[in-house]
Amino acid sequence: MDIQFKVAEERCAGCGLCVLDCLPHVLEMFQGSPRVAAGMEDACYQCQHCMAICPEGAVSVLGLRPEDSEPLPGDGLDPRKLETLIKGRRSVRRYREQNLDPVLLQHLLEVAWAAPTGANAEQVRFTVVDDRAKLERLRGEVLAGLAKLVSASALPAGMERFADIVRSWVEEGVDVLFRGAPHLIIASAPAGAPTPLADCFIALSTFDLLAQAHGVGTLWDGLATYAIRDLVPEVRHTLGIPDDHLFGYVMLFGYSAVSYARTTQRPGPLVHRVA
Ligand SMILES: Cc1cc2nc3c(=O)[nH]c(=O)nc-3n(C[C@H](O)[C@H](O)[C@H](O)COP(=O)(O)O)c2cc1C
């Protein structure tokens, strides 16, 4: 593999930070400049730390130019804003009957994609329902599948509450499964990836916080996860989730019909400090 590691010699200060930060030791210093060590190129896992760390913007790798990266403020971000976001994000169960602006949706997906993955595998796939009408169809298919299980008394043990979920929808039009959300996202990853489920949860957590920072409501949807992953698995094929993928989780999202005036108050964290 040609990782296209290039150094603009006129800018390189020879500080060696790129070499020190290269986890798989692909790089070495040679006569005051970094270079790829003999036979090490294939060990690169494309994390781009060499380019990210260079104070002079002298390093490019994988054909990427440092000037196309976003500069980072040296004094960091205001942590209080992030803390307010973490404490103030709520599970949203009422949504406006409106599609999200597609430009905002694309932006959320692109930024959430920056979440870390084990060994930098970057194999998380976002399956996205981007239109209310599509979600309506999906709801119909999932509830029809659940209704079949209910009428055949075939709900597995522990899943009996899905009978009530079907009843609520059929008799009262109450959508416990998808909460009337216009959209959902499912993260999945190849079972053979180094850390597939962790990657999915981290990507969705990132999407969750980012969406809420943009005023978009979200809900981690365990019920829809059970329904699609375990109870009506044919829906997985309708959605195009590859067979060799582990199913991460379902998250609902859309413009929220509620807003919260204050944070909730949680008891202190359960912490066990190792003796
Ligand atoms: C993994 C996970 C699964 C969840 N599944 C559901 C669900 O199926 N339906 C639902 O209404 N809420 C679900 N929730 C939301 C939780 O009930 C919610 O996070 C909790 O009540 C605290 O509320 P908050 O998120 O607003 O702080 C889930 C949350 C998590 C983290």
Side-chain angles (χ1 to χ4, degrees), residues 92-99 131-133 135-136 139 143 169 173-184 217 219 221 224 252-257:
V92 169
R93 299 186 180 88
R94 285 197 288 138
Y95 292 90
R96 294 198 337 234
E97 293 181 1
Q98 187 187 346
N99 280 338
D131 186 89
R132 293 175 57 220
L135 192 47
E136 243 167 70
R139 182 191 299 114
L143 280 153
W169 175 248
V174 174
D175 179 13
V176 176
L177 263 193
F178 298 102
R179 306 281 179 191
H183 306 294
L184 63 75
L219 183 76
D221 196 339
L252 306 178
F253 65 96
Y255 292 121
S256 176

Side-chain angles (χ1 to χ4, degrees), residues 135-180:
L135 192 47
E136 243 167 70
R137 280 206 302 276
L138 176 68
R139 182 191 299 114
E141 197 183 336
V142 174
L143 280 153
L146 291 173
K148 258 195 218 160
L149 289 176
V150 172
S151 58
S153 300
L155 280 175
M159 295 285 161
E160 294 81 3
R161 67 180 295 194
F162 281 89
D164 289 331
I165 289 171
V166 172
R167 198 174 313 119
S168 297
W169 175 248
V170 172
E171 292 176 11
E172 299 155 40
V174 174
D175 179 13
V176 176
L177 263 193
F178 298 102
R179 306 281 179 191

Side-chain angles (χ1 to χ4, degrees), residues 199-227:
D199 293 351
C200 289
F201 299 142
I202 294 166
L204 285 181
S205 261
T206 306
F207 181 89
D208 180 26
L209 283 179
L210 179 70
Q212 298 231 358
H214 281 269
V216 174
T218 54
L219 183 76
W220 288 91
D221 196 339
L223 291 174
T225 300
Y226 293 136

Side-chain angles (χ1 to χ4, degrees), residues 41-241:
E41 201 151 22
D42 285 347
C44 171
Y45 55 73
Q46 311 193 5
C47 66
Q48 304 174 32
H49 275 216
C50 51
M51 182 175 74
I53 202 168
C54 177
E56 332 296 340
V59 170
S60 83
V61 70
L62 307 168
L64 302 167
R65 304 178 329 150
E67 51 273 32
D68 293 335
S69 293
E70 288 170 45
L72 294 172
D75 54 354
L77 304 169
D78 182 353
R80 284 164 306 181
K81 288 193 175 150
L82 185 57
E83 287 161 19
T84 304
L85 177 65
I86 290 169
K87 289 180 171 176
R89 71 148 289 289
R90 292 275 73 80
S91 295
V92 169
R93 299 186 180 88
R94 285 197 288 138
Y95 292 90
R96 294 198 337 234
E97 293 181 1
Q98 187 187 346
N99 280 338
L100 205 67
D101 172 2
V103 176
L104 174 58
L105 173 53
Q106 182 61 25
H107 177 72
L108 297 180
L109 296 171
E110 279 172 18
V111 180
W113 180 249
T117 51
N120 204 31
E122 297 188 312
Q123 290 186 76
V124 173
R125 174 164 154 141
F126 294 145
T127 298
V128 179
V129 175
D130 61 2
D131 186 89
R132 293 175 57 220
K134 294 181 195 169
L135 192 47
E136 243 167 70
R137 280 206 302 276
L138 176 68
R139 182 191 299 114
E141 197 183 336
V142 174
L143 280 153
L146 291 173
K148 258 195 218 160
L149 289 176
V150 172
S151 58
S153 300
L155 280 175
M159 295 285 161
E160 294 81 3
R161 67 180 295 194
F162 281 89
D164 289 331
I165 289 171
V166 172
R167 198 174 313 119
S168 297
W169 175 248
V170 172
E171 292 176 11
E172 299 155 40
V174 174
D175 179 13
V176 176
L177 263 193
F178 298 102
R179 306 281 179 191
H183 306 294
L184 63 75
I185 176 170
I186 299 169
S188 68
T195 55
L197 284 179
D199 293 351
C200 289
F201 299 142
I202 294 166
L204 285 181
S205 261
T206 306
F207 181 89
D208 180 26
L209 283 179
L210 179 70
Q212 298 231 358
H214 281 269
V216 174
T218 54
L219 183 76
W220 288 91
D221 196 339
L223 291 174
T225 300
Y226 293 136
I228 297 171
R229 186 190 59 197
D230 305 329
L231 299 176
V232 197
E234 54 275 23
V235 169
R236 192 188 151 118
H237 293 120
T238 316
L239 289 168
I241 297 172

